[in-house]
Amino acid sequence: MKKCVIPGTFDPIHEGHFAIIKRASKLFDEVIVAVAKSSEKKPKHSLEEREKLAADKCSSLDNVTVKTFDNLLVDFVRSEGAQCVVKGLRSVKDFEYESNMAALNSQLSKDFETIFMIADPELKEISSTQIRELESMGVDTSSLTRNSDC
Ligand code: PNS
């Protein structure tokens, strides 16, 4: 059984994340969306909130489960018995950051591969940072965070 982990801070989860999760759910038997505690990033939404938002968003996808973790990603992936980590790439900036993380994780563990998916062009501009900024200014962000598919 092919299983992947899609890790992130998901503060909050948005359409761009969901598109990657949905695409991965067609390639893998099981997808685990792993919401990191990421205390060092001082997330705006609590871990429980981020987990619930992600679970609500992915509820229409039968082979997707949402979990939280507060340890090294390589240890979480090993404990789940997954063969892959999937990350979405929107830009060269994402590539620089994510390829660095993938290389570091590969030094820490050879148990899994990191696979990158290029973001859909129409979703490339969405980011959790912008959503948080809009939320703080009282703007309704539901069109960016909610999906009619769910
Ligand atoms: O959505 P993000 O914030 O870009 O996700 C980053 C995340 C959570 C995937 C990354 O920070 C992570 O894997 N954190 C878990 C701790 C870890 O394994 N760090 C890698 C070595 S510094």
PDB file of all heavy atoms in Angstrom, residues 107-119:
ATOM      1  N   GLN A 107      19.317  13.469   4.515  1.00  0.00           N
ATOM      2  CA  GLN A 107      20.493  13.158   5.338  1.00  0.00           C
ATOM      3  C   GLN A 107      20.084  12.454   6.624  1.00  0.00           C
ATOM      4  O   GLN A 107      20.801  11.617   7.137  1.00  0.00           O
ATOM      5  CB  GLN A 107      21.222  14.444   5.705  1.00  0.00           C
ATOM      6  CG  GLN A 107      21.812  15.141   4.501  1.00  0.00           C
ATOM      7  CD  GLN A 107      23.226  15.651   4.774  1.00  0.00           C
ATOM      8  OE1 GLN A 107      23.605  15.823   5.922  1.00  0.00           O
ATOM      9  NE2 GLN A 107      23.994  15.873   3.731  1.00  0.00           N
ATOM     10  N   LEU A 108      18.902  12.846   7.133  1.00  0.00           N
ATOM     11  CA  LEU A 108      18.436  12.284   8.408  1.00  0.00           C
ATOM     12  C   LEU A 108      17.830  10.897   8.237  1.00  0.00           C
ATOM     13  O   LEU A 108      17.846  10.086   9.163  1.00  0.00           O
ATOM     14  CB  LEU A 108      17.388  13.206   9.053  1.00  0.00           C
ATOM     15  CG  LEU A 108      17.868  14.600   9.485  1.00  0.00           C
ATOM     16  CD1 LEU A 108      16.698  15.467   9.925  1.00  0.00           C
ATOM     17  CD2 LEU A 108      18.886  14.480  10.619  1.00  0.00           C
ATOM     18  N   SER A 109      17.254  10.634   7.055  1.00  0.00           N
ATOM     19  CA  SER A 109      16.596   9.342   6.833  1.00  0.00           C
ATOM     20  C   SER A 109      16.556   8.994   5.353  1.00  0.00           C
ATOM     21  O   SER A 109      16.234   9.843   4.528  1.00  0.00           O
ATOM     22  CB  SER A 109      15.164   9.405   7.373  1.00  0.00           C
ATOM     23  OG  SER A 109      14.440   8.267   6.952  1.00  0.00           O
ATOM     24  N   LYS A 110      16.855   7.747   5.066  1.00  0.00           N
ATOM     25  CA  LYS A 110      16.747   7.260   3.672  1.00  0.00           C
ATOM     26  C   LYS A 110      15.463   6.438   3.506  1.00  0.00           C
ATOM     27  O   LYS A 110      15.284   5.741   2.516  1.00  0.00           O
ATOM     28  CB  LYS A 110      17.955   6.373   3.311  1.00  0.00           C
ATOM     29  CG  LYS A 110      19.291   7.064   3.420  1.00  0.00           C
ATOM     30  CD  LYS A 110      19.483   8.138   2.353  1.00  0.00           C
ATOM     31  CE  LYS A 110      20.822   8.840   2.495  1.00  0.00           C
ATOM     32  NZ  LYS A 110      20.792  10.230   2.044  1.00  0.00           N
ATOM     33  N   ASP A 111      14.576   6.513   4.491  1.00  0.00           N
ATOM     34  CA  ASP A 111      13.376   5.665   4.479  1.00  0.00           C
ATOM     35  C   ASP A 111      12.298   6.140   3.511  1.00  0.00           C
ATOM     36  O   ASP A 111      11.362   5.412   3.233  1.00  0.00           O
ATOM     37  CB  ASP A 111      12.730   5.628   5.878  1.00  0.00           C
ATOM     38  CG  ASP A 111      13.598   4.888   6.871  1.00  0.00           C
ATOM     39  OD1 ASP A 111      14.537   4.204   6.424  1.00  0.00           O
ATOM     40  OD2 ASP A 111      13.325   4.998   8.077  1.00  0.00           O
ATOM     41  N   PHE A 112      12.375   7.400   3.060  1.00  0.00           N
ATOM     42  CA  PHE A 112      11.309   7.911   2.190  1.00  0.00           C
ATOM     43  C   PHE A 112      11.869   8.889   1.167  1.00  0.00           C
ATOM     44  O   PHE A 112      12.976   9.411   1.327  1.00  0.00           O
ATOM     45  CB  PHE A 112      10.189   8.584   3.012  1.00  0.00           C
ATOM     46  CG  PHE A 112      10.636   9.813   3.756  1.00  0.00           C
ATOM     47  CD1 PHE A 112      10.586  11.079   3.166  1.00  0.00           C
ATOM     48  CD2 PHE A 112      11.113   9.716   5.055  1.00  0.00           C
ATOM     49  CE1 PHE A 112      10.999  12.206   3.856  1.00  0.00           C
ATOM     50  CE2 PHE A 112      11.536  10.845   5.754  1.00  0.00           C
ATOM     51  CZ  PHE A 112      11.471  12.095   5.150  1.00  0.00           C
ATOM     52  N   GLU A 113      11.077   9.114   0.118  1.00  0.00           N
ATOM     53  CA  GLU A 113      11.418  10.089  -0.920  1.00  0.00           C
ATOM     54  C   GLU A 113      10.568  11.340  -0.722  1.00  0.00           C
ATOM     55  O   GLU A 113       9.400  11.225  -0.325  1.00  0.00           O
ATOM     56  CB  GLU A 113      11.076   9.538  -2.315  1.00  0.00           C
ATOM     57  CG  GLU A 113      11.992   8.453  -2.822  1.00  0.00           C
ATOM     58  CD  GLU A 113      13.374   8.988  -3.202  1.00  0.00           C
ATOM     59  OE1 GLU A 113      13.526  10.209  -3.433  1.00  0.00           O
ATOM     60  OE2 GLU A 113      14.308   8.176  -3.240  1.00  0.00           O
ATOM     61  N   THR A 114      11.127  12.507  -1.065  1.00  0.00           N
ATOM     62  CA  THR A 114      10.294  13.707  -1.124  1.00  0.00           C
ATOM     63  C   THR A 114       9.937  13.951  -2.580  1.00  0.00           C
ATOM     64  O   THR A 114      10.812  13.957  -3.451  1.00  0.00           O
ATOM     65  CB  THR A 114      11.032  14.932  -0.564  1.00  0.00           C
ATOM     66  OG1 THR A 114      11.383  14.679   0.807  1.00  0.00           O
ATOM     67  CG2 THR A 114      10.146  16.182  -0.623  1.00  0.00           C
ATOM     68  N   ILE A 115       8.662  14.127  -2.837  1.00  0.00           N
ATOM     69  CA  ILE A 115       8.166  14.358  -4.195  1.00  0.00           C
ATOM     70  C   ILE A 115       7.526  15.746  -4.244  1.00  0.00           C
ATOM     71  O   ILE A 115       6.779  16.119  -3.330  1.00  0.00           O
ATOM     72  CB  ILE A 115       7.111  13.292  -4.572  1.00  0.00           C
ATOM     73  CG1 ILE A 115       7.787  11.917  -4.654  1.00  0.00           C
ATOM     74  CG2 ILE A 115       6.437  13.631  -5.884  1.00  0.00           C
ATOM     75  CD1 ILE A 115       6.832  10.802  -4.988  1.00  0.00           C
ATOM     76  N   PHE A 116       7.838  16.495  -5.310  1.00  0.00           N
ATOM     77  CA  PHE A 116       7.270  17.843  -5.439  1.00  0.00           C
ATOM     78  C   PHE A 116       6.195  17.866  -6.513  1.00  0.00           C
ATOM     79  O   PHE A 116       6.352  17.258  -7.570  1.00  0.00           O
ATOM     80  CB  PHE A 116       8.370  18.842  -5.803  1.00  0.00           C
ATOM     81  CG  PHE A 116       9.403  18.979  -4.724  1.00  0.00           C
ATOM     82  CD1 PHE A 116      10.702  18.543  -4.931  1.00  0.00           C
ATOM     83  CD2 PHE A 116       9.073  19.529  -3.499  1.00  0.00           C
ATOM     84  CE1 PHE A 116      11.653  18.654  -3.928  1.00  0.00           C
ATOM     85  CE2 PHE A 116      10.019  19.645  -2.496  1.00  0.00           C
ATOM     86  CZ  PHE A 116      11.314  19.206  -2.713  1.00  0.00           C
ATOM     87  N   MET A 117       5.132  18.589  -6.231  1.00  0.00           N
ATOM     88  CA  MET A 117       4.074  18.813  -7.228  1.00  0.00           C
ATOM     89  C   MET A 117       4.005  20.305  -7.515  1.00  0.00           C
ATOM     90  O   MET A 117       3.948  21.118  -6.568  1.00  0.00           O
ATOM     91  CB  MET A 117       2.718  18.367  -6.697  1.00  0.00           C
ATOM     92  CG  MET A 117       2.534  16.881  -6.685  1.00  0.00           C
ATOM     93  SD  MET A 117       0.825  16.515  -6.288  1.00  0.00           S
ATOM     94  CE  MET A 117       0.942  14.750  -6.135  1.00  0.00           C
ATOM     95  N   ILE A 118       4.007  20.648  -8.798  1.00  0.00           N
ATOM     96  CA  ILE A 118       3.918  22.052  -9.181  1.00  0.00           C
ATOM     97  C   ILE A 118       2.481  22.539  -8.985  1.00  0.00           C
ATOM     98  O   ILE A 118       1.530  21.886  -9.439  1.00  0.00           O
ATOM     99  CB  ILE A 118       4.330  22.241 -10.664  1.00  0.00           C
ATOM    100  CG1 ILE A 118       5.743  21.687 -10.913  1.00  0.00           C
ATOM    101  CG2 ILE A 118       4.222  23.708 -11.082  1.00  0.00           C
ATOM    102  CD1 ILE A 118       6.850  22.393 -10.180  1.00  0.00           C
ATOM    103  N   ALA A 119       2.342  23.679  -8.308  1.00  0.00           N
ATOM    104  CA  ALA A 119       1.001  24.220  -8.035  1.00  0.00           C
ATOM    105  C   ALA A 119       0.276  24.593  -9.328  1.00  0.00           C
ATOM    106  O   ALA A 119       0.912  25.008 -10.307  1.00  0.00           O
ATOM    107  CB  ALA A 119       1.131  25.454  -7.146  1.00  0.00           C
TER     108      ALA A 119
END
